[in-house]
Amino acid sequence: MDTFLWVIVPYVCLTTFVVGHFWRYRYDKFGWTTRSSQLYEDRLLRLGSPLFHFGILAVFLGHVMGLGVPKSWTEAVGISEGLYHFMAVSVGAIAGVGTVVGMTILIYRRRTVGPVFSATTNMDKAMYAVLATVIVLGLANTIVANVFGHYDYREGVSVWFRGIFRFSLHPDLMAEAPLGFQLHGLSAMLLFALWPFTRLMHVFSAPLGYLTRPYIVYRSRDEQLGTHRPRRGWDRVG
């Protein structure tokens, strides 16, 4: 069972993540969109969207640090274990709370604004449910592990996660992790599998081309330009 949960399931979900994006781009380019609902309502959107997006960006960067950077590396540059956990609790908690609040506003908006709710698909609902589970479990694990618990996820979950990409598998480390971390890992893998079939794929469609595109020149239709006055539709010809 450990091999199935912590080796087979992650590879299946990550493969679905990669192949699903390729398929979506190859066969559903017109569906590669967030289906923006700003025209329907923008007051709640202006409040919830920045909270969620900036919060989730900070959460992502925190995961890059916690899962992708080995403990020995941070210690080598002078970041002590105490300082690291202080940063994880303070910054992580603020980012997590901001993300939860923003997501709550967006879900409330999607549920209570009629046109927005009508534009919500079943896949959107599933995505929101899984995303909320991942975020809430991650926030709870950050607080419990660093404040009330003694589990060092950098020597357990992080090693397991990096091993997936290096093909150096350690399912025993996840099997020994607290239940909260196990549920967080499984729900995150499920989110990766759903990702390419939801509006989340817009993460890979940042409009970077806007930074280098040429200016658009608008020309007025001044009647004084040119040698002939434009003919009106009811004027007789000849």
Side-chain angles (χ1 to χ4, degrees):
M1 179 59 74
D2 292 344
T3 301
F4 174 76
L5 290 177
W6 311 120
V7 177
I8 297 177
V9 169
Y11 278 122
V12 170
C13 292
L14 293 175
T15 301
T16 304
F17 177 84
V18 175
V19 176
H21 277 89
F22 174 80
W23 177 88
R24 190 79 183 268
Y25 183 79
R26 179 68 176 81
Y27 297 103
D28 188 28
K29 289 184 179 180
F30 289 106
W32 192 292
T33 173
T34 61
R35 298 190 301 277
S36 175
S37 57
Q38 185 176 1
L39 291 175
Y40 302 136
E41 194 279 337
D42 63 350
R43 183 176 62 86
L44 291 173
L45 186 65
R46 287 200 305 267
L47 179 61
S49 183
L51 276 172
F52 174 77
H53 285 92
F54 284 112
I56 202 69
L57 178 60
V59 169
F60 170 75
L61 294 177
H63 278 69
V64 171
M65 173 67 74
L67 297 179
V69 179
K71 185 177 181 179
S72 59
W73 291 17
T74 55
E75 292 178 345
V77 296
I79 301 178
S80 65
E81 190 66 10
L83 177 60
Y84 175 86
H85 285 289
F86 172 77
M87 294 172 57
V89 173
S90 57
V91 179
I94 293 173
V97 170
T99 304
V100 170
V101 172
M103 181 178 59
T104 302
I105 294 173
L106 293 178
I107 293 177
Y108 172 81
R109 171 183 178 270
R110 190 161 291 276
R111 183 65 184 82
T112 57
V113 179
V116 181
F117 180 75
S118 299
T120 304
T121 66
N122 291 330
M123 188 59 75
D124 290 334
K125 297 175 183 178
M127 181 271 294
Y128 277 116
V130 176
L131 181 61
T133 301
V134 173
I135 293 173
V136 171
L137 284 173
L139 179 60
N141 288 335
T142 298
I143 297 175
V144 171
N146 290 281
V147 178
F148 303 103
H150 302 284
Y151 176 70
D152 190 354
Y153 59 87
R154 302 185 74 195
E155 295 182 349
V157 177
S158 300
V159 177
W160 163 79
F161 183 78
R162 291 195 299 271
I164 294 175
F165 301 95
R166 299 186 309 177
F167 299 100
S168 177
L169 306 175
H170 302 279
D172 54 302
L173 295 178
M174 280 302 292
E176 297 171 356
L179 179 61
F181 285 90
Q182 293 178 344
L183 295 176
H184 181 61
L186 288 175
S187 58
M189 288 300 163
L190 177 59
L191 181 64
F192 279 125
L194 291 175
W195 192 302
F197 310 106
T198 67
R199 64 179 67 238
L200 290 177
M201 82 290 172
H202 77 277
V203 171
F204 302 105
S205 300
L208 299 179
Y210 284 121
L211 300 176
T212 58
R213 70 176 182 174
Y215 292 108
I216 300 176
V217 178
Y218 294 93
R219 297 178 180 176
S220 64
R221 298 183 60 183
D222 193 335
E223 294 184 356
Q224 301 301 321
L225 298 177
T227 57
H228 297 283
R229 184 181 182 85
R231 184 174 60 85
R232 292 169 296 189
W234 55 83
D235 290 342
R236 294 181 60 181
V237 180

